[in-house]
Amino acid sequence: TDFRADGFDAHQAYTWLRPVDELTFKLGRQEIDLATYRLLGKAEFAEQGRSFDALSAHFEAADVTVDLAYALVRDYAEMPINPPGVEGKRHLGIIHVHDKLFRWLEPGIIATLDGDTSNSEFMATFGLYVRGAVGRTVELSYRGEGYLQYGDRGPAGDHEAYLVNGGGRATVDVYGRPYVDLEATLHSG
């Protein structure tokens, strides 16, 4: 969503098609959420939500979920304030696979590719995550994730980064569901 829009701007406006129960396609302006929202999400904490002009597919069968999406992030020709001589578009491709093997083991993979045709910049991000839970009266849950990122940022040079995050939670099944949460993160600046 373009928060600088002078007039009406829709946060979401899409059409969808469900040819079979397991498969849904969406076309138009839409929110895209990936697993932990670490890479891509609605950004509910921001003043304006995040949505994309995209084509997405969601497949869910048994315990496996697959999400694919292509988004046009920016079209420089249509920007109200376009830097002189800048033409091109910025694209984003996404794949997300999640498997609910067991309640105590749910692995997933995420990959994104972000490219800008105005200056040949690109950024690739690959991630793995796992989460799960055991117990009912006192539920012990865990989560872990790791991401690697590489890209060419034009004049800024090559970009390399990583992030590793893990955490656990103990939740008691009583009124209000109190919990204790521990988390640790390691990342490259």
Side-chain angles (χ1 to χ4, degrees):
T1 308
D2 180 8
F3 62 90
R4 297 167 299 186
D6 293 332
F8 176 79
D9 194 16
H11 177 68
Q12 290 196 86
Y14 59 84
T15 186
W16 59 273
L17 172 68
R18 183 172 290 150
V20 293
D21 287 343
E22 298 84 7
L23 180 63
T24 304
F25 294 98
K26 278 197 225 177
L27 176 63
R29 183 161 294 174
Q30 58 192 278
E31 294 174 340
I32 298 175
D33 290 328
L34 292 181
T36 62
Y37 312 117
R38 174 84 63 191
L39 294 180
L40 196 60
K42 296 184 273 194
E44 293 175 342
F45 52 85
E47 202 168 296
Q48 72 277 345
R50 185 180 297 154
S51 61
F52 301 87
D53 295 334
L55 169 62
S56 64
H58 177 80
F59 175 80
E60 191 166 347
D63 293 332
V64 177
T65 302
V66 178
D67 293 295
L68 302 170
Y70 161 78
L72 176 62
V73 179
R74 182 176 299 139
D75 186 347
Y76 293 104
E78 294 182 9
M79 290 181 64
I81 304 171
N82 189 18
V86 175
E87 294 181 11
K89 297 178 182 185
R90 186 170 189 155
H91 307 273
L92 177 64
I94 301 161
I95 183 168
H96 170 232
V97 180
H98 178 80
D99 192 349
K100 296 177 185 174
L101 290 173
F102 306 101
R103 182 172 178 260
W104 53 270
L105 180 62
E106 296 184 19
I109 62 168
I110 298 172
T112 66
L113 182 61
D114 175 6
D116 195 326
T117 61
S118 70
N119 55 18
S120 300
E121 293 180 2
F122 75 92
M123 181 73 64
T125 306
F126 303 96
L128 298 170
Y129 67 90
V130 63
R131 61 186 175 212
V134 295
R136 297 280 182 210
T137 304
V138 176
E139 179 184 84
L140 301 174
S141 60
Y142 71 93
R143 62 197 173 279
E145 57 188 326
Y147 299 96
L148 296 173
Q149 194 173 62
Y150 177 79
D152 178 2
R153 286 297 179 204
D158 289 347
H159 172 82
E160 296 175 8
Y162 65 86
L163 179 135
V164 178
N165 178 272
R169 177 179 282 195
T171 307
V172 181
D173 190 13
V174 295
Y175 178 77
R177 295 194 45 88
Y179 64 87
V180 174
D181 201 7
L182 301 172
E183 187 167 344
T185 301
L186 172 67
H187 60 85
S188 61

